[in-house]
Amino acid sequence: MTGAVWRRGPQAAAGIGAGTLVLGLGLLVGRADVALLGVAPLLAALWAGRPRARRTTAQPALTTVTTVTIEPAGGPAAPGELRATLHLDPPDEAELLHARVYAPGHRPTGVVVAATPRELALTLRTVRTGPQRTFHVDARGYGAGGGTAEDPVSVTAPDRLVLPTALPLGRVPVPRRLRGLTGPHTSRRLGDGNELRDVHPFTPGDRLRRIDWRTTARRSPHLDTLYVRRTYATAEATAVLVVDSRDDVGPDLRTWRGTGPLRVDEPTSLDLARHAAASVANALITGGDRVGVDDLGRRRRPLPPAAGRRHLRRVLHALALSSPRGTPQRRLRAPQVPADAIVYLFSTVLDDEPVELLRAWVAGGHPVVLVDTLPNVRGAREEHMRLAWRVTRAERDDRLRRAAAAGAPVVRWAGDARQDATLRLEALVRAAERHRSGVGTR
């Protein structure tokens, strides 16, 4: 390991300058007493400017340069607090150690400690999801009296992947046509289940445990005919979560141009989309259904539908990585989804492509739920930005009306509307049940 480069600190430079000035002034005016006043700070500054090791000759050589490492908490994190541990190992010549910690969206924090090996806990608060930059540390050791200082050492922590959290939801819409031989829902075909379909005479292939002895004794006292209870089979639903990651905008209109930094205490549209998709996926997979994920901003293989808690972790990981790579290309056709699957589209609807894809899915017989993930936009002071937002909002409202007219219900997911989204999804489930049962609505 190469030795640290020690330089004179500002205190030593000030002492040398002051001593030289007083010494020169005394010599210039011929005053020996004044010249002697400048010798003391000059010698002290020169002596303090010599780096000295804090060890005896009998002790082995230890650290010769400040070692700074950042150890982040292992595994993906959840929104809220990101934690890491800062390890500082100062050189032998240092008496004080100054560390300055930077984090995106936060004010820098500095700390001065005694030059001994130590660990410091770092905490970063953020509501953002996906790959996030965390900590950057600059550390510097100072010699005796601050007369010398080594070159600063800079270390940047690796990016952390922040997974979206799921909001507890009740029942969510599922497709009308179910698939599979087992699952949490009751299908319209015969099979093993809990919902009674009818009582039918025994036929070859019926199971003996299905015989209804009470009905048999009532209808056939002489046991000429056996009657069995037939039930509806159970099945599972399939859902595909389509995240429109082509837009990642915040509540501040001035950041939509991509020049201003996004605040870490305000979720963007992509953060809301990840949060909404994670909530829907958790509700479906917890109920025993199958869920897949597709991303409109990236041309890659979608995550195929599956079930289980392990698959839920894969879904959350795929949602955290959903982000555009470069300029997204326009899709010539809608992404293919499995037959009889429901599509959840999470989009800001700032252009016509989501509406066109939605219409294609509806035309193919797939039920679609559009989740609006645009955050609550704050008004801008600039007149041209207010005018541009009025035009954009009018066009967006027109697209939402066209989506609703095409048969896709729109659910708002931003601010206080996130709490109302649970009631809205539950209302969609009840409306679908009334439609299937033939009950009229008022």
Side-chain angles (χ1 to χ4, degrees):
M1 178 183 296
T2 60
V5 179
W6 288 84
R7 308 181 189 277
R8 299 187 188 277
Q11 294 85 351
I16 293 176
T20 303
L21 178 62
V22 175
L23 179 61
L25 182 62
L27 295 177
L28 182 62
V29 299
R31 295 282 302 272
D33 53 347
V34 176
L36 290 176
L37 291 177
V39 173
L42 181 60
L43 293 178
L46 293 175
W47 180 258
R50 299 178 58 223
R52 299 180 300 277
R54 295 182 289 105
R55 64 175 185 272
T56 62
T57 55
Q59 293 177 331
L62 302 177
T63 306
T64 59
V65 64
T66 300
T67 303
V68 182
T69 56
I70 303 177
E71 182 181 353
E81 289 188 354
L82 303 181
R83 300 181 180 274
T85 303
L86 174 62
H87 299 271
L88 298 175
D89 192 5
D92 307 326
E93 295 83 359
E95 290 190 354
L96 293 177
L97 192 62
H98 178 218
R100 196 167 182 85
V101 183
Y102 303 85
H106 295 75
R107 290 178 296 180
T109 301
V111 60
V112 178
V113 295
T116 57
R118 62 181 61 238
E119 297 180 355
L120 301 177
L122 304 180
T123 302
L124 171 64
R125 297 183 181 274
T126 180
V127 298
R128 304 292 305 281
T129 57
Q132 298 294 322
R133 292 183 299 147
T134 55
F135 303 100
H136 176 82
V137 178
D138 293 335
R140 191 174 192 178
Y142 288 88
T148 56
E150 67 170 343
D151 290 342
V153 179
S154 299
V155 176
T156 302
D159 293 348
R160 294 290 303 278
L161 183 64
V162 182
L163 300 181
T165 56
L167 176 69
L169 299 178
R171 295 188 300 172
V172 296
V174 295
R176 293 182 295 271
R177 300 171 59 184
L178 304 175
R179 306 181 66 186
L181 300 178
T182 184
H185 307 285
T186 301
S187 65
R188 297 294 92 187
R189 55 182 174 80
L190 290 175
D192 290 334
N194 298 322
E195 185 174 341
L196 177 64
R197 182 179 186 272
D198 59 11
V199 178
H200 192 270
F202 184 88
T203 59
D206 291 335
R207 298 184 178 182
L208 296 179
R209 63 184 181 89
R210 291 289 184 180
I211 297 177
D212 190 342
W213 294 108
R214 290 185 179 181
T215 303
T216 300
R218 186 174 62 253
R219 294 186 178 183
S220 180
H222 301 289
L223 299 181
D224 297 333
T225 304
L226 298 178
Y227 288 88
V228 295
R229 297 170 60 91
R230 298 195 301 183
T231 58
Y232 289 107
T234 57
E236 60 187 4
T238 302
V240 177
L241 311 180
V242 181
V243 179
D244 186 3
S245 66
R246 297 173 302 129
D247 300 320
D248 189 13
V249 296
D252 192 354
L253 288 173
R254 293 172 296 181
T255 62
W256 287 26
R257 296 173 293 185
T259 55
L262 296 172
R263 297 177 54 173
V264 296
D265 59 343
E266 292 181 342
T268 64
S269 61
L270 191 53
D271 296 326
L272 295 177
R274 296 187 183 117
H275 182 262
S279 303
V280 174
N282 180 71
L284 291 171
I285 293 180
T286 302
D289 295 320
R290 301 166 60 87
V291 176
V293 179
D294 201 348
D295 187 0
L296 295 182
R298 303 178 65 178
R299 295 296 182 91
R300 62 178 182 181
R301 182 181 179 184
L303 183 66
R309 304 301 300 181
R310 181 177 298 179
H311 182 69
L312 178 59
R313 292 192 293 268
R314 289 195 294 265
V315 169
L316 297 180
H317 193 271
L319 292 175
L321 293 177
S322 60
S323 60
R325 293 293 180 89
T327 303
Q329 299 179 0
R330 183 178 180 84
R331 291 179 177 264
L332 300 179
R333 60 180 181 179
Q336 295 183 357
V337 298
D340 305 331
I342 186 172
V343 179
Y344 284 87
L345 177 59
F346 305 88
S347 176
T348 57
V349 200
L350 291 176
D351 59 359
D352 293 331
E353 185 168 348
V355 180
E356 296 176 359
L357 299 179
L358 182 148
R359 287 180 172 178
W361 284 318
V362 172
H366 297 281
V368 181
V369 177
L370 175 59
V371 181
D372 181 12
T373 59
L374 184 70
N376 296 327
V377 179
R378 294 193 299 267
R381 298 181 179 179
E382 296 82 355
E383 181 62 26
H384 68 282
M385 297 188 67
R386 290 201 301 267
L387 180 60
W389 169 237
R390 287 180 58 186
V391 175
T392 303
R393 182 174 55 186
E395 294 177 346
R396 181 175 173 275
D397 293 340
D398 180 66
R399 297 188 191 100
L400 294 177
R401 285 192 293 267
R402 283 187 288 156
V410 180
V411 178
R412 176 77 174 150
W413 196 284
D416 297 335
R418 280 182 287 181
Q419 303 298 329
D420 299 335
T422 302
L423 303 177
R424 174 62 173 159
L425 293 173
E426 182 72 22
L428 293 175
V429 175
R430 292 196 301 267
E433 291 176 348
R434 288 194 300 266
H435 176 73
R436 285 195 293 265
S437 61
V439 178
T441 58
R442 293 184 295 175

